[in-house]
Amino acid sequence: MYFTTTDGTTLAYEDYGTGEPIVFVAGAMLNTEMWEYQIPYFTERGYRCIALDRRGHGRSDRPSTGYDIDTTADDLGALLDHLDLRGATLVGHSTGGAEIARYLARHGESRVARVVFLAAILPFMKATDDNPGGIPEAMLDALVASIRTDRGRWLARQSQIYFNSHLNPDVSPEHIDITYRQCLSTAPWATLHMQQAVFHCDNREALRGITVPTLIVHGALDFSAPAEVTGRRTAELMPQAVYKEYPTAGHGLYTSHAAEFNDDLLEFVKV
């Protein structure tokens, strides 16, 4: 299914089941297919599951503009408006978490009942004078250089640590390859610009303004979004939130720890 955003970009989404809506927002370079272990689980338990292909990802249009967090957050808002959703639980992985936080800051909470930040790149990655615990911009420069030089090799190296498969042997080489190919299918332009956008995105004030119930789930061994820079600091800014950290999980915990995460999410949405 498709809808058109305010700037004329056509975005793809999937919509399964009936009942209380759960909207899944993928991480950068990933698309609706990343949620294959969540969507059947929740539709079978009476929930409506909706997942979005971000611009430049999956089956959505590949425009040359709009790869900033404000615009992609507005795209999420356009989906919620298109479906006229009420009482939705928003689940955002990685960059998807940053987009949810920015959506709430820009559009409010009237359509939202709960928020889940899964390995989310929050609150602010970049090291600055008032964010000394962040990551030096030189590391982003090196990452961008790797993408520009050999995107396939960069993704292949990332995929080896994405799931911490040496600690989570149930994640098969075949599934790692599926994820690699999914990321490789994303527009190179989108890959490059989304990495830059989320690194510079400061959501500290946005997080302080969230009043709906919030669940934060992170992997202690997350290489892409280190827990000490992201998940734990997000929890500090949101003392009312529930924080869960999985000791052996990396960034791909929606697969490596699917059973545990699904149980935690189900318990959360039942409240």
Side-chain angles (χ1 to χ4, degrees), residues 230-251:
T230 56
R232 295 171 195 167
R233 295 183 59 214
T234 300
E236 290 172 1
L237 288 173
M238 303 184 71
Q240 77 281 10
V242 176
Y243 180 64
K244 298 198 172 195
E245 190 169 293
Y246 300 167
T248 63
H251 205 52

Side-chain angles (χ1 to χ4, degrees), residues 6-108:
T6 54
D7 69 353
T9 301
T10 298
L11 302 182
Y13 69 97
E14 298 182 10
D15 190 345
Y16 301 95
T18 59
E20 185 177 323
I22 304 175
V23 180
F24 293 95
V25 187
M29 298 178 287
L30 297 164
N31 55 53
T32 57
E33 294 177 7
M34 72 167 281
W35 303 111
E36 65 175 301
Y37 301 120
Q38 281 70 50
I39 289 175
Y41 180 93
F42 285 95
T43 56
E44 290 162 4
R45 285 158 177 80
Y47 293 90
R48 179 184 180 186
C49 293
I50 300 152
L52 174 67
D53 279 349
R54 178 186 293 103
R55 60 178 62 210
H57 295 61
R59 295 159 295 136
S60 292
D61 282 355
R62 296 182 166 201
S64 62
T65 59
Y67 299 102
D68 57 276
I69 302 301
D70 283 350
T71 300
T72 55
D74 290 349
D75 289 346
L76 172 61
L79 173 65
L80 301 186
D81 291 345
H82 171 71
L83 297 175
D84 193 24
L85 296 182
R86 304 285 175 179
T89 297
L90 305 184
V91 181
H93 173 258
S94 193
T95 298
E99 291 167 340
I100 288 173
R102 188 56 60 89
Y103 162 78
L104 294 171
R106 289 169 68 82
H107 299 276

